[in-house]
Structure formats: structure tokens, C-alpha cells
Amino acid sequence: MSLGAEPLSCPAHATVCSGADCVYPASNFNAVLSVVLSTVLTVMLAMVMFSMGCTVDAHKLWGHIRRPWGIFIGFLCQFGIMPFTAFALALAFNVLPVQAIVIVIMGCCPGGSGSNIICYWLDGDMDLSISMTACSSILAMGMMPLCLLIYTATWTSAGTIQIPYDSIGITLAALLIPIGFGMYVKRRWPEKAKKILKIGSFAGFALIIIIAVVGGVLYQSSWTIAPSLWIIGTIYPFIGFGLGFLMARFVGQPWHRCRTIALETGFQNSQLCSTIVQLSFSPEELEVMFAFPLIYSIFQLVVAVLFVGGYRLYRRKCGGGPGQRLSLEDGEAQKEKHLQAGNTALDSGDVFKKTQL
């Protein structure tokens, strides 16, 4: 007696079956993974920004807003130097029009929250850094359309590029709300704020590395691109950091604020750039332009890590440190003390002369 093979049952998730051959729906694993990771990373970023808020003093922050000289320099760098540099690099390397557009979009984006984390590790002015990031995000509502209109007219018509104002608003809220809570904790519980800051600083540095790695893994199919984009993505962050630092130093800013302005200039919101590109261009165009925001974000991180490593080595060897930093109010107080000391010395001299006479 022969035993016949039992017919194979069709799996529940198969759409069409013919015997042992089944057709399955396309896997959306990457899409689901992307949503999950985006959610997790957003929550982590909010926690890190909360810890960064524990370094911010409300009076010093208000001082930067009342005397916005540093913010104004950062504005010139962010929406003057960076878009023009992007335009010049796109022309110099003669890239494809869609690739030139994504380079310019990156140059027109406001500063990213990664600059606040790196600013802490470089002993920069955290109050200035956070105020610059917030102001650049607000000003981007108007400056991004203007800069894109000016610099992309060579390659595309006006109105083609969509500005996701909702994403900018969400980014701003994700920045300001956690920082506000951190400032409150610092004011009420300063000792706890120090512990939170210590944990958050390490978590923040790890977070920006995780974001770069995750982006590279999820979008690895986009890495096959022209060498010119690799070169631009490599040198553009160096140019941004360098020109921002030189501009700040040229107008007489102290060293710690020069570092801060350099970071705010070179660190761009690459997530916002990716969102704009996805909203504005077809899937075929995305294939040749979507990798650039990832390349830029990775190399801006590489530059930042090099700066942090070099600065920490300098501090260890030469004894430089955060104790040399002054806030706006501290600087004014120092000037007033020197003036008072000078006036007292002059008065003493006059009294001495009168006594002799």
C-alpha cells in the first residue's frame, strides 16, 4: 500500500499559492524598523536635550537674547556662508542638477541639536548654543524659502521644493520643551542637575553616533553615488566649521564663543534635509540624491569627534578648561569692576596729590 504525500497547506500570510509555490507580500521590515527607531531616537533625543537644559541659566540665556551679537553672527554664518558655500561647491564639482539641489538644501537648513551636545564637550557657551539653535530654527521659516529661491534657480523652478514647516515646528518643540524642563530642574535641584548632566552628556555623544550608524544601515542601497558627492560631503563640514570659527574670531568673539559659533555653523539639521528631499522629488531622483544628507551627517560627526578629541588632549596637556569661560553678564561685571578699580585708583591719586600740596 502506497502512502501519498499530503498536500501542503498555504501559509496564512501568502497571497497566491499554486502547490508548493507561493507568492508573499513584499516585506515592510525596513519601514517598520525605521518608524520604531525614529520613535526611540526621538525620545532619547528629548531626554538628552533635557540633560543639556541642566547647563542653561535663564538669566544668561536672556542676556544673549537681549544682546544678540553672537546670535547675529551665527545668523550670518548659518544663512549667509553655508548656502553660498553649498552653491559654490555644486558649481565647482559640476554635479547633476538634482544633486546640486540637495547640496544647497543642506546648506540652507538650520542648525541641528547635535551641536548642543558637542558644544558641551568642547566647553562652549551652552546658553549661546541653545539660543542660536532655537533662533535659527525659527528664522528658517522665512530664510529657507528665500535662500532656496536664490540659490536653486539655476537648476529648478520656484515652488518645486516643499518646506515642511510642521517638521521645523516639531524640531523646535522637541528642542525647547525638554530644555525648559532641564532649566527648571537646575534652578530647583542644582545637585541633581549635575548628575543628570553627567549621564546625559555621555548619552548624547552615543546618540549621535547611533543615529549615523542607523541611517547608514537603513539606507545602504543609496550609498552607490558619484565620487564628487563623497568629496563634497567630506569637505563641506570642515568648511562650515572653519569659516564659522574665523568669522566669530574676526569680529572679536572670545575663544569659547568662537567654538560655539563654529559648531552652530557646521552642524546642519540633516533630518530636515532628508524630509524636504522626500517631499519634493520622485523616487527616481531620490536614488541619486538621498545619500548626501547621510554623508554630510556622518562627516560632520567625524569632524566633531576630531575636534572633541583634539580639544580634550589640549586641556590635558596645557591645562585649558571651562573655568576660562565668561557669560555676557560676567563679562560686563568684569568690565565694571575694572572701571571701578580704575576710578578708585584715580581718586586715590588725587587725594595723595592734595595731601602733598
Side-chain angles (χ1 to χ4, degrees):
M1 182 173 123
S2 62
L3 296 174
E6 293 183 4
L8 296 173
S9 60
C10 187
H13 62 286
T15 54
V16 180
C17 284
S18 177
D21 298 325
C22 297
V23 177
Y24 300 95
S27 173
N28 62 344
F29 176 76
N30 270 5
V32 173
L33 182 62
S34 178
V35 172
V36 171
L37 286 174
S38 296
T39 304
V40 172
L41 292 175
T42 301
V43 173
M44 289 179 64
L45 180 61
M47 294 172 65
V48 169
M49 297 317 297
F50 164 70
S51 68
M52 293 295 105
C54 292
T55 67
V56 178
D57 187 291
H59 297 292
K60 295 177 182 179
L61 185 63
W62 177 241
H64 284 297
I65 295 173
R66 283 192 300 117
R67 303 180 185 89
W69 183 233
I71 295 175
F72 178 69
I73 298 168
F75 168 78
L76 291 179
C77 295
Q78 189 76 62
F79 297 109
I81 290 176
M82 291 302 282
F84 177 77
T85 302
F87 177 75
L89 287 172
L91 289 179
F93 283 88
N94 195 28
V95 296
L96 295 174
V98 290
Q99 293 173 334
I101 291 169
V102 74
I103 294 169
V104 172
I105 291 173
M106 177 61 75
C108 296
C109 284
S113 55
S115 61
N116 309 128
I117 300 168
I118 301 299
C119 181
Y120 170 81
W121 284 99
L122 285 178
D123 293 328
D125 191 327
M126 287 297 298
D127 308 293
L128 176 61
S129 177
I130 288 171
S131 61
M132 286 178 66
T133 303
C135 289
S136 69
S137 297
I138 295 170
L139 293 171
M141 302 281 189
M143 291 306 300
M144 280 192 72
L146 177 61
C147 291
L148 290 172
L149 177 65
I150 294 171
Y151 290 110
T152 63
T154 306
W155 300 288
T156 187
S157 59
T160 302
I161 302 172
Q162 301 181 43
I163 307 297
Y165 296 102
D166 54 345
S167 295
I168 298 175
I170 292 170
T171 301
L172 190 60
L175 173 73
L176 295 180
I177 294 174
I179 286 174
F181 280 114
M183 292 168 64
Y184 177 76
V185 169
K186 181 184 178 182
R187 185 174 181 180
R188 290 294 302 273
W189 305 285
E191 292 304 318
K192 291 183 179 179
K194 291 178 182 178
K195 296 178 181 178
I196 293 171
L197 176 61
K198 192 171 183 179
I199 297 171
S201 62
F202 286 100
F205 203 78
L207 178 63
I208 55 179
I209 295 175
I210 291 171
I211 290 174
V213 172
V214 167
V217 171
L218 286 181
Y219 303 103
Q220 55 185 324
S221 59
S222 301
W223 290 105
T224 307
I225 56 173
S228 56
L229 280 191
W230 277 103
I231 297 172
I232 294 172
T234 304
I235 65 175
Y236 194 13
F238 280 98
I239 294 173
F241 290 130
L243 291 179
F245 187 90
L246 291 175
M247 177 71 174
R249 196 60 191 161
F250 177 75
V251 298
Q253 290 293 296
W255 292 105
H256 70 286
R257 290 197 189 128
C258 290
R259 296 194 296 270
T260 304
I261 293 171
L263 287 171
E264 293 297 325
T265 304
F267 255 93
Q268 301 293 86
N269 193 333
S270 54
Q271 292 85 3
L272 179 61
C273 178
S274 300
T275 303
I276 294 172
V277 169
Q278 287 177 308
L279 290 174
S280 306
F281 298 95
S282 65
E284 293 76 17
E285 292 170 323
L286 287 175
E287 287 293 327
V288 294
M289 65 193 305
F290 192 70
F292 184 76
L294 300 175
I295 294 171
Y296 188 93
S297 64
I298 288 173
F299 280 103
Q300 75 179 2
L301 173 62
V302 170
V303 176
V305 170
L306 291 176
F307 283 172
V308 170
Y311 176 72
R312 290 283 158 175
L313 183 63
Y314 163 77
R315 274 189 57 183
R316 181 174 296 180
K317 298 293 184 183
C318 302
Q324 300 170 348
R325 296 180 300 174
L326 293 172
S327 67
L328 284 174
E329 287 76 9
D330 294 336
E332 294 298 325
Q334 289 279 351
K335 290 179 183 178
E336 289 178 5
K337 286 181 181 179
H338 286 304
L339 287 174
Q340 289 176 357
N343 292 333
T344 303
L346 289 173
D347 293 339
S348 301
D350 291 338
V351 171
F352 180 71
K353 287 179 180 177
K354 289 179 182 178
T355 304
Q356 284 184 325
L357 292 173

